[in-house]
């Protein structure tokens, strides 16, 4: 490990929040890495949902092994784990358990679809997911291909998002268990895309105070959907709670056509994070 000397105005292109076909992205890990190289992204992490299956063989020098864990909360709450030990037994066992829960959920979604008259089978969904983990975007893609809807967005808005007929919740960890799991795998835990959890500053600070007491290490301050105002707020919160700052796009390939990989920021803003791993 060596420390990086940072110039005040030096810019860096990074992305510590990316998804592949191992969860609900459309790029294989290999194709995603090639894309990142084409875009000259200097440091990156792949953070598939509740799995590390796609990153076990990655040996890139500028890569941080990661995972994104869904957490029980009234709204969306995801914890990113960075620098995790991919051979940690407890981590692998827990992620395998979550995978089985997801499999059962997907079978329930298929049953619902067929009862509603959609001619879609589990085998078709598995094929759409390249025989890896099936996610809602794969169901949406099949609905588009079969002409039931005109777009993936329409599939979610009408059928697949929370509160709609085909939505089926998945198993999530409690926030304390998620952070503990990452810690036990020698990783750092970060709250992902905080605006998705709440846009109320006081509520967010109360939540972060709780998460910090459980061992939270950082906050995803720089994100593809964060406004300048959000970033300013999150920078202040990170400083208040002495949290590390990270940056990520949440790229899912063609499932998120409005998001491209890469966050271009001042290197000094995430130097404390980068120097832990490089």
């Amino acid at each position: 490990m060596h420390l990086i000397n940072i110039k005040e105005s030096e810019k860096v292109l990074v992305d510590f929040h990316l998804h592949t076909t191992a969860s609900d992205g459309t790029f294989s890990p290999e194709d995603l890495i090639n894309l990142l190289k084409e875009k000259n992204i200097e440091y990156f992490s792949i953070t598939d949902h509740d799995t590390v299956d796609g990153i076990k063989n990655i040996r890139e020098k500028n890569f941080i092994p990661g995972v994104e864990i869904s957490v029980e909360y009234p709204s969306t709450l995801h914890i990113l784990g960075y620098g995790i030990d991919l051979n940690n037994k407890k981590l692998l066992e827990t992620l395998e358990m979550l995978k089985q829960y997801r499999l059962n959920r997907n079978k329930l979604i298929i049953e619902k679809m067929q009862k509603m008259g959609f001619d879609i089978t589990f085998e078709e969904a598995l094929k759409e997911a390249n025989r890896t983990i099936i996610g809602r975007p794969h169901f949406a893609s099949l609905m588009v291909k079969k002409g039931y809807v005109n777009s993936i967005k329409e599939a979610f808005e009408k059928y697949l998002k929370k509160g709609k007929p085909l939505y089926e919740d998945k198993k999530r960890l409690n926030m304390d268990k998620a952070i503990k799991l990452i810690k036990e795998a020698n990783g750092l835990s970060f709250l992902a895309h905080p605006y998705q959890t709440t846009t109320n500053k006081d509520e967010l600070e109360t939540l972060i105070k709780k998460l910090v007491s459980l061992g939270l290490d950082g906050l995803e301050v720089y994100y593809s959907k964060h406004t300048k105002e959000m970033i300013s707020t999150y920078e202040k919160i990170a400083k208040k709670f002495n949290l590390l700052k990270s940056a990520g796009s949440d790229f899912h390939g063609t499932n998120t056509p409005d998001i491209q990989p890469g966050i271009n920021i001042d290197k000094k803003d995430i130097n404390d994070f980068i120097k832990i791993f490089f």
Side-chain angles (χ1 to χ4, degrees), residues 19-29 48 129-133 138:
H19 297 277
T20 74
T21 50
S23 63
D24 55 349
T26 60
F27 279 65
S28 69
D48 281 314
N130 293 314
R131 311 200 78 80
T132 57
I133 296 177
H138 301 121

Side-chain angles (χ1 to χ4, degrees), residues 15 17-19 27 35 39 193 195-196 223-226 248-263:
D15 203 327
H17 193 157
L18 298 158
H19 297 277
F27 279 65
L35 177 63
K39 291 183 173 289
H193 39 58
Y195 84 99
Q196 290 189 21
Y223 179 77
S224 56
K225 298 292 186 179
H226 286 173
S249 68
D250 210 359
F251 178 69
H252 285 70
T254 57
N255 288 334
T256 53
D258 58 328
I259 297 175
Q260 290 300 308
I263 302 290

Side-chain angles (χ1 to χ4, degrees), residues 78-80 179 183 188-192 207-219 241-244:
H78 293 168
I79 300 294
L80 293 159
I179 291 175
K183 292 289 184 186
L188 299 179
S189 57
F190 281 62
L191 175 62
L207 170 64
I208 289 177
K209 184 177 181 180
K210 170 67 174 178
L211 292 171
V212 168
S213 74
L214 297 173
L216 187 76
D217 299 292
L219 184 64
F241 290 96
N242 195 30
L243 293 170
L244 294 165

Side-chain angles (χ1 to χ4, degrees), residues 150-194:
N150 294 316
S151 67
I152 287 177
K153 181 179 180 180
E154 182 183 350
F156 271 87
E157 289 297 321
K158 287 186 176 181
Y159 300 105
L160 288 164
K161 76 176 186 179
K162 193 168 186 176
K164 298 302 178 178
L166 292 177
Y167 181 81
E168 188 70 33
D169 210 356
K170 66 180 180 181
K171 176 70 174 179
R172 293 174 172 85
L173 297 182
N174 294 330
M175 60 178 72
D176 57 335
K177 289 184 178 179
I179 291 175
K180 184 179 180 181
L181 184 69
I182 292 168
K183 292 289 184 186
E184 289 180 347
N186 299 319
L188 299 179
S189 57
F190 281 62
L191 175 62
H193 39 58

Side-chain angles (χ1 to χ4, degrees), residues 193-206:
H193 39 58
Y195 84 99
Q196 290 189 21
T197 302
T198 178
T199 55
N200 183 291
K201 183 175 179 292
D202 292 337
E203 182 184 344
L204 180 62
E205 287 202 16
T206 298

Side-chain angles (χ1 to χ4, degrees), residues 93-146:
E93 287 177 349
T94 303
L95 295 181
E96 181 61 29
M97 176 195 72
L98 293 174
K99 184 189 296 185
Q100 291 304 312
Y101 279 120
R102 183 187 290 265
L103 174 62
N104 294 334
R105 179 200 71 160
N106 290 336
K107 289 180 177 179
L108 289 174
I109 292 175
I110 288 290
E111 289 178 10
K112 285 185 176 182
M113 295 182 95
Q114 292 175 347
K115 287 179 181 178
M116 291 180 66
F118 296 114
D119 183 20
I120 293 175
T121 66
F122 184 82
E123 180 60 30
E124 287 175 319
L126 191 60
K127 184 177 180 181
E128 187 69 19
N130 293 314
R131 311 200 78 80
T132 57
I133 296 177
I134 301 169
R136 285 180 295 163
H138 301 121
F139 293 121
S141 179
L142 283 172
M143 293 175 78
V144 173
K145 289 179 179 179
K146 296 206 170 190

